[in-house]
Amino acid sequence: MSKRLFITGGTGYLGGALLRLAAGRGYTLGASYLSQQPPGVPGIAWARLDIRDPQAVHEVLQSFRPDVVIHTAFVQYEPDLMAITAEGSGHVAQAAAELGARLIHMSSDVIFDGERAEPYTEAEPPAPISAYGEAKAAAERLVAAAYPGAAIIRTSLIYGFEPLDRQTRFALEIADGQRGDRLFSDEYRCPIFVDDLAAALLELAEIDYAGVLHVAGAERVSRYEMGTLLARALGYDPARIQAGRSADLPVRRPRNCALNIGRASALLHTRLRGLRELLKDRAQIEGNLA
Ligand SMILES: NC(=O)c1ccc[n+]([C@@H]2O[C@H](COP(=O)([O-])OP(=O)(O)OC[C@H]3O[C@@H](n4cnc5c(N)ncnc54)[C@H](OP(=O)(O)O)[C@@H]3O)[C@@H](O)[C@H]2O)c1
């Protein structure tokens, strides 16, 4: 019998990529949406769900009876940041634990303050410095308390091409002269290609990994490097993108949230490609198609 996989936030960027990949792998799929109309893809049982409501979370999961839940639903900003991103994650973990379903909870590199010179390992304690980072760190605590068997996956900036992600769209709008923002040359992350992340998560769905795991791209780049590399790869003029300094801002932001992915790389077959490697692979595929 095929495994039953439920994705919270199926209308989101990662949720959509997960559903597209899982559809070809024989899963019976369920997914939740809130404000967006879900795409009319056949074969997915969609449920409208607000994860702020613990009873609704319980009912939706009890009715679908998943073997695996991948929890991607969240918000990054107020209002209701804590209620959705932190407490909502706790409700999902509680409901998954009651069902004995495997749970993969999505977390973020911004649970760290970004002050460390070396990439963060799973052993480093969270030290968030933004409201979003606080909410994601609180979510990790609530999920681990409700369901110690859950896998808590910290990832970095997620990018992809079909459709384009937020970060790439932003960079292309700068390169196109539609906006005058600068991209920080002193903020470092390990961006991950959305299809690599989705493949890694589906691999994790099949094994019993409990606790925190860092799943990000293998290369540390600045936001400026990321924007200019993606702009060039997509046929835009990267010279139109100006660099700025996060250190010059009045608010403190995490500067160096590079993640050490040694543990995930040893555990998973999926290669967690760095940005330059991914763009090289993509150019090669496009060249072969031309
Ligand atoms: N994107 C990144 O670069 C990045 C980086 C690090 C970590 N992450 C983590 O990866 C995960 C997925 O990110 P993403 O960028 O793919 O997300 P996204 O595109 O912003 O999608 C968020 C999803 O959450 C749903 N949602 C929002 N509020 C909800 C609520 N109250 N109840 C139920 N569902 C709700 C949305 O539904 P509707 O749209 O239908 O309302 C949407 O499907 C998140 O946990 C995030 O913290 C992302």
Side-chain angles (χ1 to χ4, degrees):
M1 219 169 57
S2 80
K3 262 199 185 154
R4 302 179 69 78
L5 170 63
F6 191 89
I7 316 267
T8 69
T11 40
Y13 192 70
L14 175 59
L18 277 165
L19 287 169
R20 285 190 292 278
L21 188 65
R25 299 213 178 163
Y27 286 100
T28 300
L29 292 173
S32 76
Y33 67 98
L34 184 59
S35 60
Q36 294 184 68
Q37 197 52 32
V41 184
I44 300 170
W46 286 98
R48 187 172 187 282
L49 175 64
D50 188 334
I51 58 168
R52 279 172 291 196
D53 179 348
Q55 186 57 28
V57 173
H58 176 85
E59 281 167 16
V60 164
L61 289 190
Q62 283 290 333
S63 118
F64 185 75
R65 304 205 75 76
D67 299 299
V68 183
V69 176
I70 304 183
H71 174 46
T72 79
F74 87 119
V75 290
Q76 192 167 347
Y77 302 105
E78 296 289 0
D80 273 4
L81 175 60
M82 273 291 167
I84 298 170
T85 299
E87 289 156 30
S89 297
H91 303 326
V92 172
Q94 186 66 49
E98 280 163 20
L99 279 163
R102 172 141 184 66
L103 174 63
I104 297 175
H105 164 75
M106 292 312 299
S107 189
S108 168
D109 51 2
V110 298
I111 55 112
F112 295 119
D113 61 12
E115 295 296 329
R116 224 179 108 89
E118 293 301 308
Y120 288 92
T121 67
E122 287 84 355
E124 301 298 325
I129 58 169
S130 65
Y132 171 52
E134 299 262 2
K136 292 300 277 187
E140 287 192 1
R141 291 194 297 273
L142 289 168
V143 167
Y147 196 173
I152 295 176
I153 308 303
R154 293 186 189 137
T155 194
S156 186
L157 299 176
I158 303 170
Y159 67 93
F161 306 103
E162 289 170 26
L164 290 174
D165 61 283
R166 281 191 284 274
Q167 276 83 229
T168 307
R169 280 204 314 267
F170 191 77
L172 297 186
E173 282 166 19
I174 300 173
D176 211 17
Q178 292 176 45
R179 50 193 321 149
D181 305 72
R182 289 169 183 261
L183 294 181
F184 297 130
S185 54
D186 60 347
E187 260 189 28
Y188 298 95
R189 313 287 285 274
C190 293
I192 184 160
F193 180 46
V194 68
D195 292 356
D196 286 355
L197 178 57
L201 295 173
L202 291 188
E203 229 191 303
L204 278 160
E206 300 296 329
I207 58 177
D208 274 333
Y209 184 89
V212 172
L213 187 67
H214 291 178
V215 179
E219 186 186 6
R220 185 191 92 140
V221 292
S222 71
R223 284 183 181 270
Y224 173 74
E225 274 179 293
M226 182 182 178
T228 50
L229 285 167
L230 283 160
R232 183 178 293 114
L234 292 165
Y236 289 70
D237 180 4
R240 297 187 67 167
I241 302 179
Q242 303 285 305
R245 277 167 44 86
S246 166
D248 294 339
L249 293 183
V251 283
R252 195 169 156 231
R253 290 167 52 98
R255 301 268 167 70
N256 182 11
C257 284
L259 296 177
N260 178 318
I261 56 163
R263 189 183 290 179
S265 302
L267 184 72
L268 303 173
H269 296 292
T270 304
R271 290 194 47 241
L272 306 172
R273 288 172 288 181
L275 179 58
R276 283 184 177 81
E277 184 187 359
L278 184 282
L279 291 177
K280 212 168 134 195
D281 288 354
R282 182 175 181 271
Q284 204 159 25
I285 293 167
E286 301 232 308
N288 291 343
L289 290 177

